[in-house]
DNA sequence: TAAACTAATTATAACAATTATAATCTAATA
DNA sequence: TATTAGATTATAATTGTTATAATTAGTTTA
């Protein structure tokens, strides 16, 4: 039920120390309900941790990724965004404002199987994103 | 039939000058049959063009992208890879050696439609990649 | 053809995201 | 308490890419 509590449990179980900075980063990720960049997290917490280094944010996001608490969404030039892991889902992304919306859809097992069959790869996973224009941006375009 | 010839036609039609550097970059993209980075192209051509700037490679890859001759494949940290546009296809990527293999599959119209319906987005396109282990790397792992 | 204009290339500097390094601090353990 | 390992901080370095300004090449106009 309490996502933060569970996340802290996961850290404890994997022998990762729970520092105030880690607690705050996790809390922010969960509460923001969005897909923040490392820098956004850094800036959001600088009131509470005026001396925190940006390296700490990156280091801890990597730790969280390694224990499976967050997923990193990477893009070409722009900075990575981080998603607190709940259930599997895809993302729909606005090409104009960059908004990212969660989108649930059954996994594409058939595509994975065909890819494995055709290429001889041992398939692990896949990445799918939908790109378009969000309702807000579509509204602005009209007039 | 001749991909290079067609590509040069496209450039001519869109009023883009055909310089020796552009000719060579296009030729390399078509003949390499792979997905090279800007730097790989730069290094491959430095014998023929010892004074070519890496900026020229980037500039021209952007030009080619804008007129629809190449697609840019972007990844998180790593550098972009460029794919001479032929028919629509997806990519299967080896997580160990980075190999990229073309993979043909009918478009995922159904996913796009559902995404549009659920999120209210005007959907343009999507991105799908399959990740796993290529046969070469799988072989090495075994012993 | 000569002059004027525009596009492309080059060399180099700047940028931005991320990672590495070394010093310091904190917490756990013996 | 002393020792050790882990975490954080401050800062430097790295890397892919883009911006800038000067130069060169090609095209258009007079
Ligand atoms: Mn998400
Ligand atoms: Mn391809
Ligand atoms: Zn938008
Ligand atoms: Zn491989």
């Amino acid at each position: 039920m309490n996502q933060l509590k569970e996340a802290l449990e996961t850290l404890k179980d994997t022998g990762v120390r729970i520092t105030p900075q880690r607690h705050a980063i996790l809390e922010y990720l969960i509460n923001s309900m969005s897909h923040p960049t490392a820098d956004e997290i850094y800036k959001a917490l600088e009131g509470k941790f005026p001396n925190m280094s940006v390296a700490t944010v990156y280091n801890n996001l990597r730790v969280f990724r390694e224990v499976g608490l967050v997923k990193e969404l990477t893009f070409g030039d722009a900075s990575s965004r981080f998603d607190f892991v709940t259930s599997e889902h895809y993302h729909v992304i606005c090409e104009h404002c960059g908004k990212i919306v969660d989108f649930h859809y059954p996994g594409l097992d058939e595509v994975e199987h065909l890819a494995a069959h055709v290429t001889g790869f041992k398939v692990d996973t896949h990445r799918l994103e939908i790109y378009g224009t969000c309702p807000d941006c579509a509204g602005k375009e009209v007039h």
Side-chain angles (χ1 to χ4, degrees), chain A:
Chain A
M1 208 212 112
N2 187 334
Q3 294 187 295
L4 181 56
K5 213 176 218 167
E6 277 180 31
L8 295 174
E9 279 297 319
T10 303
L11 290 187
K12 202 179 278 178
D13 293 350
T14 44
V16 175
R17 286 187 192 161
I18 297 157
T19 65
Q21 292 88 340
R22 285 179 178 162
H23 191 284
I25 294 170
L26 272 179
E27 198 171 31
Y28 181 78
L29 273 167
I30 293 169
N31 292 340
S32 75
M33 297 286 290
S34 68
H35 306 84
T37 64
D39 202 59
E40 281 168 7
I41 298 170
Y42 173 66
K43 287 199 163 59
L45 298 180
E46 71 179 357
K48 213 172 180 180
F49 296 89
N51 296 322
M52 184 165 65
S53 170
V54 70
T56 298
V57 178
Y58 278 102
N59 287 340
N60 289 332
L61 287 171
R62 174 154 32 87
V63 170
F64 297 158
R65 174 162 51 78
E66 283 166 358
V67 301
L69 284 176
V70 308
K71 274 205 175 143
E72 184 175 359
L73 314 177
T74 66
F75 303 97
D77 47 337
S79 41
S80 289
R81 298 190 161 271
F82 295 87
D83 199 0
F84 184 77
V85 166
T86 51
S87 58
E88 279 290 326
H89 61 270
Y90 298 113
H91 292 108
V92 185
I93 300 173
C94 178
E95 288 161 316
H96 297 85
C97 68
K99 190 187 298 164
I100 300 178
V101 176
D102 290 351
F103 168 59
H104 291 265
Y105 190 83
L108 300 167
D109 292 350
E110 191 197 317
V111 187
E112 287 201 359
H113 283 129
L114 186 62
H117 181 256
V118 169
T119 64
F121 272 55
K122 189 187 135 318
V123 169
D124 273 343
T125 179
H126 66 267
R127 163 184 181 160
L128 170 70
E129 282 144 21
I130 318 279
Y131 291 89
T133 309
C134 78
D136 288 357
C137 289
K140 279 175 208 149
E141 266 175 43
V142 170
H143 49 118

